[in-house]
Amino acid sequence: MSRNENQKSEIHQENIDIKNDSTYDDIREETDDEFIDGGADEDIMGDDAEDEVIEEGDTAEESGMEEADEIDEVHPRKSTRRRRGARRRGRRKKSMSKKPWIIAGSIVGALVVIYLGAAVFFMSHFLVNTTVNGKDFSGKTAADVEDYLKEQVEEYELTIQEQNNVSDVISGTDISLTYKENSQVEDALDAQNQLLWIVSLFAKSSADVTIEVEYDEAALQERIENLQAVTAEQTDPVSAHPEYDGNSFVVAEEQYGTKVDMETLTAKIEQYITEFNPTLDMMDEECYVMPAYTSDSPEVQAACDEMNSYLKASITYPMDESIVVDKQLISGWITYDAEMNVTFNEDAVREWMREFGSKYDTVGTSRTITTPTGKTAEVSGGTYGWIVDEAAETENLINSIKNGEVAEREPAYKQTAASHGAQDWGNTYIEVDIAAQHMWYIVDGSIAMESDVVTGLPADGRDTPTGVYSILYTERDSTLKGEVDPATGKPSYETPVAFWMPFTWQGHGFHDATWQSSFGGSRYQTNGSHGCVNMPYDKAEQLFGMISAGTPVIVHN
């Protein structure tokens, strides 16, 4: 096209723009439609830029509202196109704001479908981290569990560990062991919450299924009765118990025997077979007769403590040698029963006191005496000497032990003597030698006075009794009387004496005998007394003035 033609075209276009608004509007509208319809892609790509324009234009739009209204009045078709563009832009903005929600919803829906699908899976399978009777069956079916249990039954063996590293085996085939189906595996599967399967990923769960089996009970009993532990020698156990170690009671450890508790053993074997446990330790499961108490049993220690409380006592009796009742002796008087109840054996104390009395009671016992002439004589009988009050002292000793008393004391006596020794009459006493027909009064080991005497006639029961006695009392001017004569009803004799010093309650004693013409020698064999010791008047008077009640009297042959 030539330059002139171009200029004409431009002039013509200008004329169109200026003179024919309607033609301009039609062309602009077509152009806008093509731009809008064909340029959607550009609009989408330019959203960010357009958003900036929109943001910047918000203010301009507000400030230019009046101007726009004026333009609308002048150019109504331009106003229509502007409104259409605004609506299109609004639709694009709304469409873009909904897209993230649509994507998120799609993801959630997919996850829900997957979760529910897993829940459906676990309706027939065990959850993750699930054990049945201790074995992991995660994701396994009930049939898988049943197959496993049947396999276990077919191959099952029970090893029984006994004492001294001895063992026996009972196999399933020995007792015709078979698996008995039940609903417990299915019940365990149904009991799980499938909708919460995701929790099983983080927490373990377990199901205890009672496995039912059948076996030949007679065959099992026979196998039990032939176990080495059962056929071996059966020894009883010994419980832990208090034991005296020479100083105190301590806990002696228990001793396990070999005696089998058949009831417990049978029950445990049946339980282990039912639970498919592979090894039964008879000691751990207490299939032996167990000690009632072990060294850890508080009852045993409590018994020791109580028994030791008695050992605190110590009582010393100062006899011819000191007799000490302390823990060495007391420990033998304390016992315990099967329930660890402690008993202080008071009967044992009484028995000991009887033995104590028998040893230290001297009345009537045989003693040896050496006369001033050097003669040695055996003397026994009489009423003088020690007599322990066993009943009273037993109670005293029991109380002392219970109270933990420590003391030295004389025992309670019914009768006492001068000393604890072989010659308990001490060193002050009266001695009569019947064979020598002589008497001595010994004071502190020395002769204070002596005299010939006439003793009882050795016939018709008139002998002077031998033994150790003591003066019962002294009396002046007494009349001695014999036994009553049944024929006359009167005493067989009545003899007055000036000095009477009896040593038996049967009427034997020392007294003056003025009717005797002589003393000593063999006169007693023909003119002996009725059992008294006859003395010359002056000697009787002298003795009377020297002695008192309680003075020991030893009479011997």
Side-chain angles (χ1 to χ4, degrees):
M1 183 181 292
S2 63
R3 181 185 182 102
N4 292 331
E5 289 176 340
N6 285 338
Q7 291 176 347
K8 289 179 181 180
S9 177
E10 289 174 1
I11 295 169
H12 177 72
Q13 182 66 45
E14 289 175 359
N15 291 334
I16 291 174
D17 291 338
I18 296 171
K19 295 180 179 179
N20 194 343
D21 289 338
S22 61
T23 303
Y24 171 82
D25 290 341
D26 289 339
I27 295 171
R28 181 65 178 269
E29 184 175 358
E30 290 174 4
T31 304
D32 289 344
D33 289 341
E34 290 175 1
F35 175 79
I36 292 169
D37 294 338
D41 293 337
E42 292 181 5
D43 288 344
I44 292 171
M45 293 177 63
D47 280 345
D48 291 339
E50 184 177 343
D51 288 343
E52 292 178 3
V53 172
I54 290 169
E55 289 176 1
E56 293 174 357
D58 285 344
T59 304
E61 184 177 348
E62 292 174 2
S63 62
M65 286 297 291
E66 294 180 0
E67 181 180 350
D69 290 341
E70 293 175 358
I71 294 172
D72 289 343
E73 291 177 0
V74 177
H75 305 288
R77 294 192 67 181
K78 291 182 179 180
S79 174
T80 299
R81 288 194 300 272
R82 189 179 295 110
R83 285 195 295 270
R84 287 176 181 172
R87 282 196 296 271
R88 291 189 187 100
R89 288 192 297 273
R91 283 196 296 271
R92 287 197 300 271
K93 289 169 66 179
K94 290 179 181 179
S95 175
M96 294 304 294
S97 64
K98 289 180 180 179
K99 285 182 180 180
W101 293 103
I102 293 172
I103 295 171
S106 299
I107 294 173
V108 170
L111 291 176
V112 168
V113 171
I114 294 172
Y115 189 90
L116 292 177
V120 171
F121 174 81
F122 286 118
M123 291 179 69
S124 58
H125 295 74
F126 284 98
L127 296 174
V128 177
N129 289 325
T130 297
T131 60
V132 178
N133 287 6
K135 180 174 177 58
D136 188 2
F137 280 99
S138 300
K140 301 294 184 181
T141 65
D144 293 332
V145 178
E146 294 280 357
D147 292 342
Y148 169 76
L149 297 178
K150 291 177 182 178
E151 181 182 347
Q152 291 296 103
V153 170
E154 292 174 358
E155 300 176 356
Y156 179 71
E157 285 186 344
L158 174 62
T159 300
I160 301 173
Q161 296 289 348
E162 305 164 19
Q163 290 188 19
N164 302 319
N165 295 321
V166 175
S167 64
D168 282 298
V169 176
I170 298 177
S171 66
T173 56
D174 292 340
I175 58 175
S176 303
L177 185 68
T178 58
Y179 177 72
K180 184 178 179 181
E181 293 187 4
N182 59 32
S183 64
Q184 291 206 17
V185 176
E186 287 288 349
D187 293 342
L189 181 62
D190 293 340
Q192 64 185 7
N193 193 336
Q194 296 87 353
L195 289 177
L196 295 179
W197 63 267
I198 196 168
V199 176
S200 67
L201 299 176
F202 310 101
K204 294 183 179 180
S205 62
S206 63
D208 292 325
V209 174
T210 301
I211 304 171
E212 295 185 9
V213 294
E214 294 178 331
Y215 53 84
D216 187 333
E217 294 184 2
L220 177 60
Q221 189 61 40
E222 182 179 357
R223 287 291 294 116
I224 293 173
E225 291 175 354
N226 284 285
L227 295 175
Q228 296 178 72
V230 176
T231 59
E233 180 183 0
Q234 305 290 291
T235 58
D236 289 316
V238 178
S239 288
H241 57 278
E243 184 174 86
Y244 186 66
D245 66 357
N247 184 59
S248 63
F249 283 99
V250 296
V251 177
E253 291 190 356
E254 67 279 7
Q255 297 178 11
Y256 292 93
T258 60
K259 188 174 183 179
V260 175
D261 184 337
M262 291 299 296
E263 182 177 351
T264 300
L265 175 61
T266 301
K268 287 297 181 181
I269 289 177
E270 291 175 350
Q271 176 188 339
Y272 270 56
I273 290 174
T274 301
E275 297 176 353
F276 293 105
N277 290 324
T279 305
L280 167 62
D281 190 310
M282 288 182 60
M283 184 63 73
D284 290 345
E285 291 291 358
E286 299 186 356
C287 295
Y288 294 98
V289 177
M290 305 301 289
Y293 298 98
T294 68
S295 56
D296 295 327
S297 299
E299 296 88 345
V300 183
Q301 186 58 58
C304 287
D305 294 341
E306 183 177 353
M307 296 173 83
N308 286 329
S309 67
Y310 291 100
L311 302 187
K312 297 176 182 178
S314 179
I315 305 300
T316 301
Y317 294 114
M319 313 306 284
D320 53 346
E321 59 179 352
S322 293
I323 302 300
V324 180
V325 177
D326 60 6
K327 56 189 175 183
Q328 304 299 335
L329 184 58
I330 297 170
S331 61
W333 298 340
I334 311 169
T335 59
Y336 58 90
D337 62 17
E339 285 72 41
M340 292 297 148
N341 297 311
V342 175
T343 300
F344 177 47
N345 190 349
E346 296 184 5
D347 288 338
V349 181
R350 292 185 179 89
E351 179 60 30
W352 181 87
M353 190 58 68
R354 278 192 290 271
E355 295 177 0
F356 178 81
S358 296
K359 180 177 181 178
Y360 293 102
D361 286 353
T362 58
V363 174
T365 60
S366 179
R367 289 97 131 181
T368 299
I369 187 171
T370 300
T371 69
T373 62
K375 171 186 173 181
T376 299
E378 286 287 327
V379 59
S380 60
T383 58
Y384 181 85
W386 298 99
I387 301 178
V388 175
D389 189 339
E390 296 175 6
E393 187 54 32
T394 297
E395 293 305 313
N396 293 341
L397 182 56
I398 288 173
N399 291 332
S400 294
I401 293 173
K402 288 182 176 180
N403 294 328
E405 183 181 349
V406 177
E408 179 176 331
R409 66 162 185 259
E410 290 278 352
Y413 288 109
K414 289 183 178 179
Q415 181 176 299
T416 61
S419 66
H420 292 292
Q423 297 177 337
D424 57 353
W425 49 77
N427 56 10
T428 297
Y429 54 90
I430 302 170
E431 180 182 352
V432 177
D433 185 343
I434 294 176
Q437 288 292 290
H438 198 79
M439 63 82 59
W440 297 268
Y441 177 46
I442 308 298
V443 176
D444 295 332
S446 300
I447 299 173
M449 65 86 62
E450 60 181 307
S451 172
D452 287 335
V453 295
V454 174
T455 59
L457 181 69
D460 301 329
R462 291 167 59 178
D463 304 74
T464 299
T466 58
V468 183
Y469 305 91
S470 63
I471 299 298
L472 301 176
Y473 60 90
T474 59
E475 184 178 68
R476 283 181 175 273
D477 301 324
S478 180
T479 299
L480 308 181
K481 297 179 180 181
E483 295 180 356
V484 175
D485 185 346
T488 62
K490 294 182 179 180
S492 58
Y493 65 88
E494 293 184 88
T495 304
V497 296
F499 309 102
W500 174 230
M501 296 160 280
F503 54 83
T504 75
W505 294 109
Q506 290 74 37
H508 305 97
F510 298 92
H511 60 82
D512 53 294
T514 56
W515 58 88
Q516 293 285 7
S517 59
S518 63
F519 296 90
S522 60
R523 183 173 175 79
Y524 77 103
Q525 295 179 351
T526 56
N527 293 287
S529 69
H530 289 85
C532 288
V533 178
N534 292 174
M535 299 178 67
Y537 183 92
D538 59 336
K539 293 295 185 179
E541 181 180 22
Q542 183 183 6
L543 181 64
F544 187 89
M546 298 176 73
I547 66 173
S548 60
T551 301
V553 176
I554 299 98
V555 181
H556 60 84
N557 285 309

